Amino acid sequence: GDSVTQTEGLVTVTEGLPVMLNCTYQTAYSDVAFFWYVQYLNEAPKLLLRSSTDNKRTEHQGFHATLHKSSSSFHLQKSSVQLSDSALYYCALRTNTGKLTFGDGTVLTVKP
Amino acid sequence: NAGVIQTPRHKVTGKGQEATLWCEPISGHSAVFWYRQTIVQGLEFLTYFRNQAPIDDSGMPKERFSAQMPNQSHSTLKIQSTQPQDSAVYLCASSLAGRGNTEVFFGKGTRLTVV
């Protein structure tokens, strides 16, 4: 079946420094869309980024990600993190069956 | 647009009792999902409906869990004979289209505690 792997369960970064959250995937489908969702404490997950185009960078709220089908990856990056970026981040894929599968999530903690 | 509405927000049940969770998707959305969220398992897929029809229930524990979508305005997740390990936040989500990179919107969840 489809799977999404987020290798880091917890990432701690100092404010102002860059960060990359890893996301790799496995799927037998070729027509697939990819997402990053962010969840703040006691809130619902909400969409941060999405893409279905290979090798095209997508950006939102200072974060960016590029889908690389050659390496089955959709890593999330930010060049300068802020304290307010502290949250739980999920990578997800959606196949053309419509099913949305999430990784285990990465907790990002930004320290002053 | 009130978003995806889930009721109740909190539910406490005794071990062995039944729990029914309700979800009202965003009006006009054709796809409805149920997920279970715990610290250990993260966002665990349970089941998925498209145009009210069950498409994929591969994540549902078969013996005690069931989900229905009797009309386009609500879905229910029923857990029979609840067990302590069922304690979790249950999230409902919906999207306008049944596939592709259409945004999936989440409700605020129902926190189920089995005592």
Side-chain angles (χ1 to χ4, degrees):
Chain A
D2 308 315
S3 66
V4 177
T5 301
Q6 294 180 247
T7 52
E8 310 102 349
L10 178 63
V11 172
T12 302
V13 182
T14 301
E15 185 180 19
L17 293 183
V19 68
M20 184 170 81
L21 306 185
N22 291 312
C23 173
T24 57
Y25 65 89
Q26 285 189 320
T27 180
Y29 294 92
S30 57
D31 184 16
V32 188
F34 295 88
F35 304 80
W36 276 100
Y37 275 78
V38 59
Q39 186 176 23
Y40 299 100
L41 195 61
N42 296 322
E43 294 186 11
K46 60 181 182 180
L47 180 66
L48 178 61
L49 291 174
R50 55 181 155 174
S51 178
S52 54
T53 305
D54 198 12
N55 297 316
K56 181 179 179 181
R57 174 170 163 146
T58 182
E59 299 188 38
H60 187 60
Q61 294 183 341
F63 287 90
H64 63 92
T66 303
L67 174 61
H68 292 295
K69 292 187 177 182
S70 61
S71 58
S72 299
S73 67
F74 189 55
H75 306 319
L76 181 68
Q77 300 182 67
K78 189 172 187 181
S79 59
S80 177
V81 295
Q82 302 173 341
L83 294 174
S84 59
D85 293 327
S86 294
L88 175 57
Y89 292 81
Y90 285 105
C91 183
L93 71 83
R94 190 173 190 186
T95 66
N96 59 7
T97 66
K99 181 179 177 181
L100 182 64
T101 301
F102 286 87
D104 290 338
T106 298
V107 174
L108 174 63
T109 300
V110 180
K111 59 181 184 179
Chain B
N1 184 350
V4 177
I5 299 172
Q6 291 189 247
T7 54
R9 293 293 317 280
H10 302 272
K11 186 173 182 66
V12 179
T13 63
K15 182 180 175 181
Q17 291 185 328
E18 181 177 288
T20 299
L21 313 181
W22 295 75
C23 171
E24 180 181 332
I26 294 172
S27 178
H29 281 196
S30 64
V32 174
F33 304 82
W34 283 96
Y35 291 87
R36 176 167 63 182
Q37 185 174 34
T38 61
I39 292 175
V40 174
Q41 297 288 344
L43 265 176
E44 182 184 9
F45 171 82
L46 293 176
T47 190
Y48 162 53
F49 295 86
R50 187 167 67 231
N51 295 321
Q52 300 172 232
I55 302 299
D56 187 330
D57 67 353
S58 58
M60 294 276 277
K62 291 292 186 277
E63 290 186 354
R64 299 183 294 107
F65 284 59
S66 63
Q68 293 184 330
M69 191 160 185
N71 57 60
Q72 64 184 8
S73 64
H74 89 271
S75 175
T76 58
L77 179 68
K78 184 179 292 186
I79 307 172
Q80 296 179 315
S81 185
T82 54
Q83 302 297 310
Q85 61 265 31
D86 299 331
S87 297
V89 176
Y90 290 83
L91 290 165
C92 179
S94 71
S95 70
L96 185 60
R99 60 194 71 191
N101 67 356
T102 309
E103 182 173 357
V104 175
F105 295 85
F106 283 82
K108 294 183 177 180
T110 295
R111 182 176 296 276
L112 176 67
T113 303
V114 182
V115 298

